[in-house]
């Protein structure tokens, strides 16, 4: 049985939980520049603080402990710490030569933690999703207001950067590839072309998750697409799962999730922010509130309906919610997702 079949089998019985944010967990450790540099990069030409991906090389203990916290809380799938680990984003830190290595090590760290917890609880296997972020350049929007035709990067440059990232994530042991936090569909297409090319190159094929970000209540991405237009744009890639993440909270995301569930022919995922940020950029929504909103998502699922996938920072609250729902549905076969 391959990974896709295993995941499908599990999703036919229950919701799977994806882990929460990596960045906020890293912030709790209050790391300094020396932590990001380590001994290996002590004399690096650029400051590295804030480049969270490098920590898989310099503070693997921190990243490994975060993975294990999420697994201990009940996560079924953990993401690699590789959100910005491609040459386009790493150029800000003059760290391009280390991108492949970062992705390999990020996947290995997550793989080790997932295998450890699978061995503890064989009836709850754990999986690794290779995180592929949107990059810090856009293919659809000009960086120059006076020249709408100008672009900061070409499609092939971005595609090639993603291809190197994908190779590393596969070589390190990822089960799933997650193209996430999409704000520009053309960037996502570059990632998807890279994924497909590397699959052909390596003779492997992993399940692919695609997750888009709706930037505000207009229901559009940053580059202006509606959710319907976005789905049409990526449907050709035949994703194993398509979903929504970040930007807005669960309450505001609900109608867009319903629309996506209507459109999609695959599993559907959602991992919202904890509400909208306040004037200070902080989040006032408590874990119990977020879990309560996601409870409603789960209760809305009906047999034969497109499933919804759910995850958030507060995995423990969700795990308790979903355990209660599973108990109340004993004997019913309800297809729900991650």
């Amino acid at each position: 049985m391959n990974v896709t079949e295993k995941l499908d089998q599990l999703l036919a019985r229950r919701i799977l939980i994806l882990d929460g944010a990596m960045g906020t967990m890293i912030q709790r450790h209050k790391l300094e520049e020396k932590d990001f540099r380590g001994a290996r990069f002590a004399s690096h030409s650029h400051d590295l603080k804030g480049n969270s991906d490098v920590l898989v090389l310099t503070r693997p203990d921190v990243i490994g402990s975060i993975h294990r916290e999420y697994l201990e809380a009940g996560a079924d799938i953990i993401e690699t710490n590789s959100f910005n680990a491609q040459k386009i984003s790493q150029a800000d830190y003059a760290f391009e030569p280390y991108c492949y290595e970062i992705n390999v090590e990020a996947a290995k760290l997550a793989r080790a933690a997932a295998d450890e917890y699978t061995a503890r609880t064989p009836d709850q296997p754990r999986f690794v999703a290779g995180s592929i972020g949107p990059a810090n350049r856009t293919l659809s929007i000009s960086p120059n207001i006076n020249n709408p035709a100008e672009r900061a990067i070409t499609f092939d440059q971005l595609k090639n950067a993603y291809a190197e990232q994908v190779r590393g994530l596969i070589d390190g042991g990822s089960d799933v590839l997650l193209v996430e936090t999409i704000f520009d569909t053309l960037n996502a297409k570059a990632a998807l072309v890279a994924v497909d090319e590397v699959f052909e190159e390596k003779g492997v094929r992993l399940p692919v998750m695609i997750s888009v970000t709706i930037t505000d209540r207009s229901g559009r991405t940053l580059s202006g697409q509606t959710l319907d237009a976005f789905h049409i744009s990526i449907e050709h890639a035949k994703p194993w799962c398509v979903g929504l993440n970040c930007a807005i909270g669960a309450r505001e995301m609900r109608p867009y999730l319903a629309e996506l569930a209507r459109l999609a022919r695959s599993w559907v995922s959602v991992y919202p922010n904890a509400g909208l940020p306040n004037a200070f950029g902080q989040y006032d929504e408590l874990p119990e509130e977020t879990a309560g909103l996601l409870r409603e998502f789960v209760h809305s699922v009906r047999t034969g309906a497109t499933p919804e996938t759910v995850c958030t920072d507060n995995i423990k609250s969700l795990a308790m919610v979903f355990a209660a729902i599973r108990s109340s549905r004993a004997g019913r076969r309800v297809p729900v997702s991650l």
Side-chain angles (χ1 to χ4, degrees), residues 52-241:
S52 298
D53 298 335
V54 74
L55 293 171
V56 302
L57 304 179
T58 58
R59 289 300 304 270
D61 58 315
V62 170
I63 303 305
S65 71
I66 293 171
H67 287 321
R68 286 171 175 81
E69 283 187 70
Y70 278 125
L71 290 165
E72 189 66 33
D76 297 290
I77 302 175
I78 54 173
E79 293 186 50
T80 57
N81 182 43
S82 57
F83 188 79
N84 289 309
Q86 30 66 26
K87 286 183 175 178
I88 306 306
S89 297
Q90 288 299 317
D92 288 353
Y93 299 95
F95 225 69
E96 302 99 308
Y98 307 102
C99 289
Y100 173 78
E101 182 184 0
I102 288 173
N103 284 284
V104 171
E105 293 306 314
K108 284 182 175 179
L109 279 172
R111 176 83 274 148
D115 289 349
E116 176 187 325
Y117 275 77
T118 296
R120 291 188 192 180
T121 56
D123 58 330
Q124 185 187 0
R126 314 301 177 99
F127 301 89
V128 173
S131 173
I132 302 169
N136 59 358
R137 301 287 187 275
T138 172
L139 289 169
S140 295
I141 303 173
S142 172
N144 182 355
I145 193 171
N146 297 311
N147 183 7
E150 184 178 333
R151 293 295 182 270
I153 190 174
T154 68
F155 185 92
D156 282 347
Q157 286 175 321
L158 185 55
K159 186 259 292 182
N160 291 338
Y162 276 134
E164 180 182 44
Q165 180 175 26
V166 171
R167 289 187 194 99
L169 291 171
I170 293 174
D171 291 347
S174 296
D175 297 303
V176 177
L177 294 179
L178 170 55
V179 181
E180 63 174 328
T181 320
I182 297 165
F183 65 85
D184 180 350
T185 307
L186 197 52
N187 282 34
K189 281 182 171 288
L192 293 171
V193 170
V195 166
D196 198 55
E197 288 184 357
V198 175
F199 282 170
E200 290 295 322
E201 169 192 310
K202 288 185 168 293
V204 301
R205 190 157 294 273
L206 303 181
V208 176
M209 295 178 66
I210 300 174
S211 188
V212 66
T213 293
I214 299 298
T215 54
D216 56 36
R217 292 187 178 95
S218 70
R220 294 177 180 268
T221 65
L222 185 64
S223 56
Q225 273 195 313
T226 63
L227 191 57
D228 194 354
F230 166 78
H231 186 263
I232 291 170
S233 299
I234 57 90
E235 192 175 18
H236 67 90
K238 295 182 172 62
W240 169 74
C241 177

Side-chain angles (χ1 to χ4, degrees), residues 8 15 19 30 35 47 94 97 99 127 155 188 197 218 227 231 300-301 310 314:
D8 286 344
I15 290 169
D19 65 2
K30 303 187 185 303
D35 294 295
D47 288 345
C99 289
F127 301 89
F155 185 92
E197 288 184 357
S218 70
L227 191 57
H231 186 263
S300 70
V301 177
V310 185
N314 196 287

